[in-house]
Amino acid sequence: MKKILIAISLLLLPFALFAAGSKETQETEPITITWWHSNSGILQEATEELISSFNTTVGKEKGIKVEAIYQGKANDVLVKLKAVTADTDTSQYPDIVQLDASGALDIVSSNIVTYTQDLAEKYNDDLSFLQENTKESLMYKDKLIGMPFNASTILYYYNKTAFDEQNITPPSTIDELIQIAPLLVLLDAKGNTTRYAFSNIPTTYELTALLGSQNGVSYITDMENGHQGTPTKTVFKENGTFKNLLTKWKKLYATGGLENASSGITASFVAGKTASFLASTSNLTTIIQSVGNRFELGVAPCFRINENDKGGVNVGGGALYAVTKDNSKQEAAVWEFLKYATSKEAQLKWHIKTGYLPVNKETYEMNEYKSFITQNPLFEVPAKQLFASNPKIVGVWIPSGYQIYYSFMSNIKKMLTDNISVDATVNAMQKEIDGYLKDYNV
Protein backbone atom coordinates (compact mmCIF):
# COMPACT_ATOMS: atom_id res chain seq x y z
CA MET A 1 0.00 0.00 0.00
CA LYS A 2 2.83 2.34 0.88
CA LYS A 3 4.50 1.69 -2.49
CA ILE A 4 1.23 2.54 -4.28
CA LEU A 5 0.94 5.88 -2.47
CA ILE A 6 4.51 6.79 -3.33
CA ALA A 7 3.88 5.93 -6.98
CA ILE A 8 0.76 8.09 -7.08
CA SER A 9 2.67 10.97 -5.46
CA LEU A 10 5.39 10.76 -8.07
CA LEU A 11 2.79 10.78 -10.84
CA LEU A 12 1.10 13.87 -9.40
CA LEU A 13 4.33 15.78 -8.74
CA PRO A 14 4.69 17.24 -12.29
CA PHE A 15 1.11 18.48 -12.17
CA ALA A 16 1.75 20.13 -8.81
CA LEU A 17 4.88 21.79 -10.13
CA PHE A 18 3.02 22.94 -13.28
CA ALA A 19 0.21 24.37 -11.16
CA ALA A 20 2.69 26.16 -8.90
CA GLY A 21 4.49 27.51 -11.95
CA SER A 22 1.21 28.85 -13.39
CA LYS A 23 0.41 30.58 -10.12
CA GLU A 24 3.86 32.13 -9.99
CA THR A 25 3.49 33.36 -13.59
CA GLN A 26 0.15 34.92 -12.75
CA GLU A 27 1.56 36.66 -9.71
CA THR A 28 4.51 38.08 -11.62
CA GLU A 29 2.40 39.26 -14.57
CA PRO A 30 2.81 43.08 -14.59
CA ILE A 31 -0.10 45.31 -13.71
CA THR A 32 -0.91 47.42 -16.77
CA ILE A 33 -2.13 50.97 -16.23
CA THR A 34 -3.45 53.12 -19.07
CA TRP A 35 -2.83 56.84 -19.39
CA TRP A 36 -5.14 58.92 -21.61
CA HIS A 37 -3.55 62.13 -22.85
CA SER A 38 -3.62 64.83 -25.53
CA ASN A 39 0.14 65.14 -26.08
CA SER A 40 1.35 65.37 -29.67
CA GLY A 41 4.57 66.30 -31.44
CA ILE A 42 7.36 67.03 -28.96
CA LEU A 43 4.99 66.30 -26.08
CA GLN A 44 4.23 62.87 -27.51
CA GLU A 45 7.95 62.13 -27.71
CA ALA A 46 8.45 63.28 -24.12
CA THR A 47 5.52 61.15 -22.97
CA GLU A 48 6.94 58.05 -24.61
CA GLU A 49 10.38 58.70 -23.11
CA LEU A 50 8.89 59.11 -19.65
CA ILE A 51 6.93 55.88 -19.90
CA SER A 52 9.90 53.94 -21.28
CA SER A 53 12.04 55.20 -18.42
CA PHE A 54 9.45 54.16 -15.83
CA ASN A 55 8.72 50.76 -17.38
CA THR A 56 12.40 49.81 -17.47
CA THR A 57 13.17 50.94 -13.91
CA VAL A 58 10.56 51.31 -11.18
CA GLY A 59 7.90 49.60 -13.27
CA LYS A 60 10.12 46.58 -13.92
CA GLU A 61 11.05 46.38 -10.24
CA LYS A 62 7.48 46.61 -8.98
CA GLY A 63 5.71 44.74 -11.77
CA ILE A 64 3.95 47.74 -13.34
CA LYS A 65 3.61 48.61 -17.01
CA VAL A 66 2.28 51.96 -18.26
CA GLU A 67 0.62 52.33 -21.65
CA ALA A 68 -0.20 55.78 -23.05
CA ILE A 69 -3.16 56.32 -25.35
CA TYR A 70 -3.53 59.53 -27.36
CA GLN A 71 -7.17 60.70 -27.27
CA GLY A 72 -7.08 63.92 -29.28
CA LYS A 73 -7.19 67.44 -27.88
CA ALA A 74 -7.53 68.18 -24.14
CA ASN A 75 -11.29 68.56 -24.32
CA ASP A 76 -11.56 65.30 -26.28
CA VAL A 77 -9.95 63.47 -23.37
CA LEU A 78 -12.56 64.88 -21.00
CA VAL A 79 -15.47 64.06 -23.34
CA LYS A 80 -14.29 60.47 -23.77
CA LEU A 81 -13.69 60.10 -20.04
CA LYS A 82 -17.21 61.27 -19.21
CA ALA A 83 -18.63 58.90 -21.82
CA VAL A 84 -16.81 55.81 -20.60
CA THR A 85 -17.35 56.51 -16.88
CA ALA A 86 -21.10 56.75 -17.46
CA ASP A 87 -20.93 52.94 -17.49
CA THR A 88 -20.44 51.08 -14.21
CA ASP A 89 -17.99 48.65 -15.84
CA THR A 90 -14.75 50.09 -14.48
CA SER A 91 -12.66 47.70 -16.58
CA GLN A 92 -13.18 50.10 -19.51
CA TYR A 93 -11.94 53.13 -17.57
CA PRO A 94 -8.44 54.51 -18.07
CA ASP A 95 -6.30 54.50 -14.94
CA ILE A 96 -4.88 58.00 -15.41
CA VAL A 97 -6.14 60.99 -17.39
CA GLN A 98 -4.25 64.13 -18.22
CA LEU A 99 -6.58 67.14 -18.24
CA ASP A 100 -6.28 70.91 -18.42
CA ALA A 101 -8.33 73.42 -16.43
CA SER A 102 -11.41 72.87 -18.60
CA GLY A 103 -11.92 69.52 -16.90
CA ALA A 104 -11.61 70.71 -13.31
CA LEU A 105 -15.29 71.50 -12.77
CA ASP A 106 -16.29 68.02 -13.92
CA ILE A 107 -13.70 66.50 -11.61
CA VAL A 108 -14.78 68.30 -8.46
CA SER A 109 -18.50 67.73 -9.05
CA SER A 110 -18.28 63.95 -9.55
CA ASN A 111 -16.54 60.84 -8.28
CA ILE A 112 -14.72 60.21 -11.57
CA VAL A 113 -11.29 60.53 -9.94
CA THR A 114 -9.72 59.94 -6.57
CA TYR A 115 -8.18 63.15 -5.25
CA THR A 116 -4.38 63.22 -5.20
CA GLN A 117 -4.36 64.38 -1.60
CA ASP A 118 -6.45 61.36 -0.58
CA LEU A 119 -4.02 59.02 -2.33
CA ALA A 120 -1.03 60.64 -0.65
CA GLU A 121 -2.64 60.27 2.76
CA LYS A 122 -3.69 56.68 2.05
CA TYR A 123 -0.17 55.64 1.06
CA ASN A 124 1.44 57.80 3.73
CA ASP A 125 3.36 59.94 1.26
CA ASP A 126 4.42 63.57 1.56
CA LEU A 127 3.51 66.16 -1.09
CA SER A 128 5.80 68.87 0.24
CA PHE A 129 8.07 68.41 -2.80
CA LEU A 130 5.51 70.19 -5.01
CA GLN A 131 6.29 73.76 -6.01
CA GLU A 132 3.75 75.93 -4.14
CA ASN A 133 2.20 77.70 -7.13
CA THR A 134 1.68 74.45 -9.04
CA LYS A 135 0.09 72.87 -5.98
CA GLU A 136 -2.20 75.84 -5.30
CA SER A 137 -3.37 75.79 -8.92
CA LEU A 138 -5.07 72.43 -8.29
CA MET A 139 -6.60 73.10 -4.88
CA TYR A 140 -10.35 72.84 -4.49
CA LYS A 141 -11.76 73.85 -1.11
CA ASP A 142 -8.21 73.55 0.23
CA LYS A 143 -7.72 70.02 -1.07
CA LEU A 144 -5.40 68.87 -3.88
CA ILE A 145 -7.52 67.22 -6.56
CA GLY A 146 -4.89 66.22 -9.14
CA MET A 147 -1.15 65.77 -9.41
CA PRO A 148 0.49 68.83 -11.02
CA PHE A 149 2.44 67.61 -14.03
CA ASN A 150 2.70 69.83 -17.12
CA ALA A 151 2.81 73.28 -15.51
CA SER A 152 3.07 76.49 -17.51
CA THR A 153 2.70 80.24 -17.17
CA ILE A 154 2.02 82.96 -19.71
CA LEU A 155 5.16 84.51 -21.18
CA TYR A 156 6.04 87.51 -23.35
CA TYR A 157 7.88 86.41 -26.51
CA TYR A 158 9.64 89.12 -28.52
CA ASN A 159 11.91 89.61 -31.51
CA LYS A 160 15.06 90.75 -29.72
CA THR A 161 16.75 91.69 -32.98
CA ALA A 162 13.92 94.11 -33.82
CA PHE A 163 13.94 95.50 -30.27
CA ASP A 164 17.71 96.00 -30.32
CA GLU A 165 17.49 97.86 -33.64
CA GLN A 166 15.25 100.42 -31.91
CA ASN A 167 17.29 100.32 -28.69
CA ILE A 168 14.25 99.27 -26.64
CA THR A 169 13.69 96.62 -23.99
CA PRO A 170 10.64 94.39 -23.41
CA PRO A 171 7.79 96.22 -21.64
CA SER A 172 7.05 95.54 -17.99
CA THR A 173 3.66 97.30 -18.23
CA ILE A 174 1.09 97.77 -20.97
CA ASP A 175 1.78 101.52 -20.82
CA GLU A 176 5.37 100.80 -21.85
CA LEU A 177 4.09 98.58 -24.67
CA ILE A 178 1.88 101.45 -25.85
CA GLN A 179 4.94 103.73 -25.94
CA ILE A 180 7.19 101.40 -27.91
CA ALA A 181 4.55 99.97 -30.27
CA PRO A 182 4.93 102.64 -32.99
CA LEU A 183 8.69 102.00 -33.09
CA LEU A 184 8.18 98.34 -33.94
CA VAL A 185 5.62 98.77 -36.70
CA LEU A 186 6.77 98.37 -40.30
CA LEU A 187 4.82 99.61 -43.34
CA ASP A 188 5.22 98.93 -47.03
CA ALA A 189 5.28 101.59 -49.76
CA LYS A 190 1.47 101.64 -49.87
CA GLY A 191 1.16 102.17 -46.13
CA ASN A 192 0.09 98.61 -45.37
CA THR A 193 1.35 97.10 -42.12
CA THR A 194 3.94 94.40 -42.75
CA ARG A 195 4.94 94.00 -39.11
CA TYR A 196 2.86 94.64 -36.00
CA ALA A 197 4.34 95.43 -32.61
CA PHE A 198 2.10 92.98 -30.77
CA SER A 199 -0.53 90.36 -31.67
CA ASN A 200 -3.20 89.13 -29.29
CA ILE A 201 -6.87 89.06 -28.34
CA PRO A 202 -7.19 88.22 -24.63
CA THR A 203 -9.08 85.09 -23.58
CA THR A 204 -9.57 83.59 -20.14
CA TYR A 205 -5.96 82.36 -20.28
CA GLU A 206 -4.42 85.83 -20.59
CA LEU A 207 -7.11 87.52 -18.51
CA THR A 208 -6.52 85.30 -15.50
CA ALA A 209 -3.05 86.82 -15.21
CA LEU A 210 -3.73 90.34 -16.52
CA LEU A 211 -6.73 90.80 -14.24
CA GLY A 212 -5.49 88.56 -11.45
CA SER A 213 -2.31 90.51 -10.78
CA GLN A 214 -4.25 93.73 -10.14
CA ASN A 215 -5.12 94.91 -6.61
CA GLY A 216 -2.73 92.39 -5.12
CA VAL A 217 -4.81 89.40 -6.16
CA SER A 218 -8.06 89.59 -8.13
CA TYR A 219 -10.43 87.08 -9.73
CA ILE A 220 -12.70 86.82 -12.74
CA THR A 221 -15.49 85.18 -10.70
CA ASP A 222 -16.41 84.73 -7.07
CA MET A 223 -15.40 81.59 -5.15
CA GLU A 224 -11.77 82.45 -5.99
CA ASN A 225 -12.27 81.60 -9.66
CA GLY A 226 -14.12 78.43 -8.69
CA HIS A 227 -11.47 77.00 -6.36
CA GLN A 228 -13.68 77.41 -3.29
CA GLY A 229 -16.91 76.21 -4.89
CA THR A 230 -18.88 76.58 -8.11
CA PRO A 231 -18.86 80.24 -9.20
CA THR A 232 -22.15 82.12 -8.89
CA LYS A 233 -21.22 85.48 -10.45
CA THR A 234 -18.46 87.49 -12.10
CA VAL A 235 -16.50 90.03 -10.08
CA PHE A 236 -14.36 91.68 -12.78
CA LYS A 237 -16.76 94.62 -13.03
CA GLU A 238 -17.04 95.37 -9.34
CA ASN A 239 -13.28 95.15 -8.78
CA GLY A 240 -12.58 97.32 -11.85
CA THR A 241 -9.89 95.07 -13.30
CA PHE A 242 -11.54 94.36 -16.66
CA LYS A 243 -12.26 98.04 -17.30
CA ASN A 244 -8.65 98.90 -16.48
CA LEU A 245 -7.41 96.40 -19.04
CA LEU A 246 -9.85 97.35 -21.81
CA THR A 247 -9.19 101.07 -21.40
CA LYS A 248 -5.48 100.53 -22.03
CA TRP A 249 -6.11 97.88 -24.68
CA LYS A 250 -7.95 100.52 -26.71
CA LYS A 251 -4.99 102.87 -26.38
CA LEU A 252 -2.69 100.14 -27.62
CA TYR A 253 -4.94 99.49 -30.61
CA ALA A 254 -4.97 103.21 -31.42
CA THR A 255 -1.19 103.14 -31.94
CA GLY A 256 -1.67 100.93 -34.98
CA GLY A 257 0.74 98.44 -33.46
CA LEU A 258 -1.80 95.89 -32.18
CA GLU A 259 -2.83 93.12 -34.53
CA ASN A 260 -6.33 91.99 -33.60
CA ALA A 261 -5.50 88.33 -34.27
CA SER A 262 -6.59 85.14 -32.56
CA SER A 263 -4.90 82.48 -34.70
CA GLY A 264 -1.67 81.96 -36.59
CA ILE A 265 0.15 84.31 -34.24
CA THR A 266 3.14 82.07 -33.64
CA ALA A 267 3.64 81.56 -37.37
CA SER A 268 3.41 85.32 -37.94
CA PHE A 269 5.98 85.92 -35.21
CA VAL A 270 8.41 83.38 -36.67
CA ALA A 271 7.94 84.96 -40.10
CA GLY A 272 8.74 88.41 -38.71
CA LYS A 273 5.22 89.77 -39.23
CA THR A 274 4.72 90.60 -35.56
CA ALA A 275 7.38 91.66 -33.06
CA SER A 276 5.88 90.20 -29.90
CA PHE A 277 3.03 88.16 -28.44
CA LEU A 278 1.88 86.31 -25.34
CA ALA A 279 1.93 82.52 -25.16
CA SER A 280 2.47 79.64 -22.77
CA THR A 281 5.92 78.71 -21.54
CA SER A 282 5.14 75.26 -22.95
CA ASN A 283 5.69 76.75 -26.42
CA LEU A 284 9.26 77.82 -25.66
CA THR A 285 11.04 74.75 -27.01
CA THR A 286 8.97 74.73 -30.21
CA ILE A 287 9.41 78.47 -30.80
CA ILE A 288 13.16 78.28 -30.28
CA GLN A 289 13.34 75.55 -32.91
CA SER A 290 11.00 77.42 -35.29
CA VAL A 291 12.82 80.75 -35.06
CA GLY A 292 16.20 79.13 -35.60
CA ASN A 293 18.60 81.72 -37.03
CA ARG A 294 15.92 84.04 -38.44
CA PHE A 295 16.42 86.47 -35.57
CA GLU A 296 17.39 86.46 -31.91
CA LEU A 297 14.53 85.32 -29.70
CA GLY A 298 13.80 87.02 -26.40
CA VAL A 299 11.37 86.14 -23.61
CA ALA A 300 10.26 88.22 -20.66
CA PRO A 301 7.66 88.06 -17.88
CA CYS A 302 4.09 88.94 -18.82
CA PHE A 303 3.59 92.70 -18.69
CA ARG A 304 1.37 94.26 -16.02
CA ILE A 305 -1.69 96.45 -16.56
CA ASN A 306 -0.78 98.87 -13.77
CA GLU A 307 2.65 99.83 -12.50
CA ASN A 308 1.82 98.70 -8.95
CA ASP A 309 0.42 95.27 -9.92
CA LYS A 310 2.44 92.76 -7.93
CA GLY A 311 0.48 89.53 -8.19
CA GLY A 312 2.27 87.95 -11.13
CA VAL A 313 0.81 85.11 -13.18
CA ASN A 314 -1.15 81.93 -12.62
CA VAL A 315 -0.11 78.37 -13.38
CA GLY A 316 -1.67 76.85 -16.47
CA GLY A 317 -1.04 73.59 -18.23
CA GLY A 318 -2.51 70.41 -16.83
CA ALA A 319 -2.41 67.62 -14.31
CA LEU A 320 -2.60 63.86 -13.95
CA TYR A 321 -5.71 62.44 -12.30
CA ALA A 322 -6.19 58.95 -10.88
CA VAL A 323 -9.47 57.56 -12.21
CA THR A 324 -11.52 55.90 -9.48
CA LYS A 325 -11.57 52.10 -9.66
CA ASP A 326 -12.47 49.40 -7.17
CA ASN A 327 -9.06 47.77 -7.44
CA SER A 328 -6.47 48.39 -4.73
CA LYS A 329 -3.56 46.86 -6.69
CA GLN A 330 -4.35 49.04 -9.69
CA GLU A 331 -4.63 52.13 -7.52
CA ALA A 332 -1.31 51.44 -5.82
CA ALA A 333 0.34 51.01 -9.24
CA VAL A 334 -1.13 54.33 -10.42
CA TRP A 335 0.25 56.06 -7.35
CA GLU A 336 3.73 54.66 -8.05
CA PHE A 337 3.67 56.16 -11.52
CA LEU A 338 2.34 59.53 -10.35
CA LYS A 339 5.21 59.77 -7.89
CA TYR A 340 7.71 58.80 -10.57
CA ALA A 341 6.35 61.28 -13.14
CA THR A 342 6.74 64.13 -10.66
CA SER A 343 10.12 63.08 -9.27
CA LYS A 344 12.85 65.69 -9.57
CA GLU A 345 14.70 63.66 -12.20
CA ALA A 346 11.64 62.97 -14.37
CA GLN A 347 10.53 66.59 -14.17
CA LEU A 348 13.98 67.77 -15.27
CA LYS A 349 13.81 65.61 -18.41
CA TRP A 350 10.21 66.70 -19.07
CA HIS A 351 11.18 70.38 -18.67
CA ILE A 352 14.15 70.15 -21.03
CA LYS A 353 12.17 68.27 -23.65
CA THR A 354 8.93 70.30 -23.55
CA GLY A 355 9.51 73.68 -21.91
CA TYR A 356 6.92 72.98 -19.22
CA LEU A 357 8.01 74.13 -15.78
CA PRO A 358 9.10 71.52 -13.21
CA VAL A 359 6.40 70.94 -10.58
CA ASN A 360 8.97 69.45 -8.21
CA LYS A 361 10.75 72.28 -6.41
CA GLU A 362 13.76 70.02 -5.81
CA THR A 363 14.40 69.97 -9.58
CA TYR A 364 15.38 73.64 -9.43
CA GLU A 365 18.19 72.77 -7.00
CA MET A 366 19.72 70.05 -9.17
CA ASN A 367 23.14 70.70 -10.67
CA GLU A 368 21.84 69.31 -13.96
CA TYR A 369 19.05 71.91 -13.98
CA LYS A 370 21.45 74.74 -13.17
CA SER A 371 23.78 73.60 -15.92
CA PHE A 372 20.90 73.49 -18.40
CA ILE A 373 19.79 77.00 -17.43
CA THR A 374 23.33 78.33 -17.84
CA GLN A 375 23.39 76.99 -21.38
CA ASN A 376 19.74 77.91 -22.10
CA PRO A 377 19.06 81.17 -20.21
CA LEU A 378 15.64 81.74 -21.82
CA PHE A 379 14.27 78.87 -19.74
CA GLU A 380 15.14 80.68 -16.51
CA VAL A 381 12.76 83.57 -17.25
CA PRO A 382 9.48 81.64 -16.74
CA ALA A 383 10.92 79.88 -13.68
CA LYS A 384 11.75 83.20 -12.00
CA GLN A 385 8.33 84.54 -12.93
CA LEU A 386 6.69 81.48 -11.39
CA PHE A 387 8.46 81.81 -8.05
CA ALA A 388 7.84 85.57 -7.97
CA SER A 389 4.07 85.16 -8.45
CA ASN A 390 1.44 84.95 -5.74
CA PRO A 391 0.23 81.31 -5.50
CA LYS A 392 -3.30 82.61 -4.90
CA ILE A 393 -3.57 83.78 -8.52
CA VAL A 394 -5.22 80.69 -9.97
CA GLY A 395 -6.91 79.66 -13.20
CA VAL A 396 -10.67 79.99 -13.58
CA TRP A 397 -12.80 76.84 -13.13
CA ILE A 398 -16.10 77.79 -14.64
CA PRO A 399 -19.13 76.23 -16.39
CA SER A 400 -19.26 76.71 -20.18
CA GLY A 401 -15.51 77.25 -20.08
CA TYR A 402 -14.90 77.11 -23.82
CA GLN A 403 -17.90 79.33 -24.61
CA ILE A 404 -16.62 81.95 -22.20
CA TYR A 405 -13.08 81.62 -23.57
CA TYR A 406 -14.26 82.52 -27.07
CA SER A 407 -16.79 85.03 -25.80
CA PHE A 408 -14.08 87.20 -24.25
CA MET A 409 -12.20 87.03 -27.53
CA SER A 410 -15.14 87.98 -29.75
CA ASN A 411 -16.34 90.81 -27.50
CA ILE A 412 -12.90 92.39 -27.18
CA LYS A 413 -12.35 92.15 -30.92
CA LYS A 414 -15.76 93.70 -31.54
CA MET A 415 -14.99 96.52 -29.09
CA LEU A 416 -12.01 97.51 -31.21
CA THR A 417 -13.30 96.97 -34.74
CA ASP A 418 -16.78 98.42 -34.12
CA ASN A 419 -15.58 101.11 -31.69
CA ILE A 420 -17.82 99.95 -28.85
CA SER A 421 -17.22 101.62 -25.49
CA VAL A 422 -15.29 99.97 -22.70
CA ASP A 423 -18.24 100.14 -20.30
CA ALA A 424 -20.58 98.57 -22.84
CA THR A 425 -18.13 95.71 -23.39
CA VAL A 426 -17.70 95.12 -19.66
CA ASN A 427 -21.47 95.10 -19.15
CA ALA A 428 -22.03 92.73 -22.07
CA MET A 429 -19.45 90.25 -20.78
CA GLN A 430 -20.80 90.43 -17.23
CA LYS A 431 -24.35 89.78 -18.40
CA GLU A 432 -23.33 86.89 -20.65
CA ILE A 433 -21.16 85.05 -18.15
CA ASP A 434 -23.52 85.63 -15.23
CA GLY A 435 -26.22 84.12 -17.42
CA TYR A 436 -24.17 80.97 -17.94
CA LEU A 437 -23.53 80.71 -14.22
CA LYS A 438 -27.18 81.21 -13.33
CA ASP A 439 -28.28 78.51 -15.76
CA TYR A 440 -25.71 76.10 -14.37
CA ASN A 441 -26.60 76.72 -10.74
CA VAL A 442 -30.38 76.41 -11.18
Side-chain angles (χ1 to χ4, degrees):
M1 184 68 180
K2 184 177 181 181
K3 291 180 178 180
I4 294 173
L5 290 174
I6 292 173
I8 293 172
S9 298
L10 290 172
L11 287 170
L12 292 175
L13 182 59
F15 295 98
L17 290 172
F18 179 79
S22 298
K23 183 178 180 181
E24 183 178 345
T25 301
Q26 288 178 348
E27 289 179 348
T28 57
E29 189 74 22
I31 297 174
T32 300
I33 58 178
T34 56
W35 169 12
W36 284 10
H37 65 86
S38 59
N39 302 323
S40 60
I42 289 176
L43 297 181
Q44 173 74 25
E45 295 174 10
T47 299
E48 292 173 354
E49 289 178 11
L50 173 64
I51 289 175
S52 176
S53 179
F54 174 82
N55 287 343
T56 56
T57 56
V58 175
K60 184 176 181 180
E61 176 190 342
K62 296 182 179 290
I64 305 168
K65 181 181 179 182
V66 178
E67 292 182 353
I69 303 174
Y70 176 74
Q71 295 287 10
K73 295 182 179 180
N75 192 53
D76 295 330
V77 179
L78 177 62
V79 170
K80 293 177 182 179
L81 176 66
K82 291 166 70 175
V84 74
T85 52
D87 194 325
T88 56
D89 180 12
T90 62
S91 65
Q92 303 301 312
Y93 296 7
D95 297 289
I96 299 171
V97 288
Q98 185 177 352
L99 299 171
D100 63 11
S102 64
L105 196 65
D106 293 277
I107 295 303
V108 301
S109 60
S110 70
N111 60 353
I112 294 176
V113 306
T114 301
Y115 283 6
T116 294
Q117 189 163 326
D118 289 336
L119 287 173
E121 292 173 357
K122 180 176 181 178
Y123 294 102
N124 197 30
D125 278 312
D126 188 1
L127 294 172
S128 61
F129 68 88
L130 289 172
Q131 197 277 338
E132 188 62 28
N133 300 63
T134 67
K135 182 179 179 181
E136 195 67 37
S137 71
L138 289 163
M139 297 293 282
Y140 180 71
K141 294 184 177 179
D142 304 317
K143 195 169 187 177
L144 187 66
I145 66 172
M147 181 67 90
F149 176 63
N150 52 311
S152 65
T153 65
I154 195 165
L155 197 62
Y156 183 76
Y157 292 82
Y158 67 101
N159 183 329
K160 189 174 186 301
T161 300
F163 275 62
D164 288 347
E165 288 172 354
Q166 296 297 326
N167 196 29
I168 53 179
T169 56
S172 60
T173 66
I174 193 170
D175 289 323
E176 291 180 6
L177 179 56
I178 291 169
Q179 291 175 0
I180 66 174
L183 300 175
L184 294 165
V185 173
L186 292 180
L187 305 175
D188 62 16
K190 295 181 180 180
N192 298 314
T193 303
T194 58
R195 186 180 73 192
Y196 287 91
F198 179 69
S199 296
N200 184 256
I201 303 177
T203 64
T204 44
Y205 181 56
E206 292 89 353
L207 292 173
T208 299
L210 296 174
L211 303 188
S213 63
Q214 297 183 49
N215 306 324
V217 173
S218 295
Y219 299 105
I220 293 175
T221 72
D222 64 351
M223 299 296 180
E224 295 184 9
N225 276 355
H227 289 252
Q228 291 296 335
T230 304
T232 64
K233 66 173 184 176
T234 58
V235 296
F236 57 67
K237 180 179 178 180
E238 61 190 70
N239 63 28
T241 56
F242 195 34
K243 182 174 182 177
N244 288 343
L245 180 142
L246 294 184
T247 299
K248 297 190 177 186
W249 208 258
K250 269 203 163 189
K251 291 181 180 178
L252 178 60
Y253 186 66
T255 66
L258 171 62
E259 182 183 23
N260 217 7
S262 59
S263 63
I265 296 175
T266 301
S268 292
F269 176 73
V270 171
K273 295 179 180 179
T274 184
S276 65
F277 71 116
L278 293 174
S280 167
T281 55
S282 63
N283 295 343
L284 182 53
T285 299
T286 300
I287 292 174
I288 289 174
Q289 294 177 358
S290 299
V291 168
N293 295 321
R294 288 183 171 90
F295 54 83
E296 185 178 356
L297 174 67
V299 295
C302 177
F303 53 77
R304 306 185 300 275
I305 299 304
N306 307 298
E307 179 63 37
N308 61 350
D309 293 345
K310 304 298 183 184
V313 296
N314 63 294
V315 172
L320 300 179
Y321 295 88
V323 179
T324 303
K325 287 187 176 181
D326 187 20
N327 187 321
S328 57
K329 287 186 177 181
Q330 204 81 2
E331 181 186 81
V334 166
W335 184 240
E336 286 295 335
F337 179 69
L338 292 182
K339 290 191 296 181
Y340 182 87
T342 53
S343 65
K344 62 181 182 180
E345 295 85 1
Q347 280 291 294
L348 175 63
K349 292 178 182 178
W350 181 259
H351 168 64
I352 293 173
K353 184 75 175 182
T354 68
Y356 278 111
L357 291 159
V359 302
N360 191 318
K361 61 186 178 185
E362 295 173 5
T363 301
Y364 297 91
E365 301 302 321
M366 295 175 67
N367 289 331
E368 295 88 340
Y369 171 81
K370 294 176 181 178
S371 176
F372 173 73
I373 290 300
T374 299
Q375 299 173 39
N376 302 273
L378 295 184
F379 283 80
E380 188 175 22
V381 176
K384 284 186 173 181
Q385 180 180 230
L386 175 70
F387 280 90
S389 297
N390 191 322
K392 284 296 182 181
I393 296 182
V394 291
V396 58
W397 294 350
I398 192 170
S400 306
Y402 281 103
Q403 286 177 284
I404 293 169
Y405 176 97
Y406 291 111
S407 180
F408 271 121
M409 185 184 296
S410 62
N411 275 276
I412 293 174
K413 184 175 183 179
K414 189 176 180 181
M415 176 191 75
L416 299 178
T417 57
D418 296 354
N419 197 28
I420 297 173
S421 72
V422 167
D423 286 333
T425 303
V426 172
N427 291 337
M429 286 304 310
Q430 180 194 42
K431 182 179 179 180
E432 182 173 347
I433 298 176
D434 283 352
Y436 289 135
L437 297 178
K438 183 178 179 181
D439 291 342
Y440 183 85
N441 287 299
V442 169

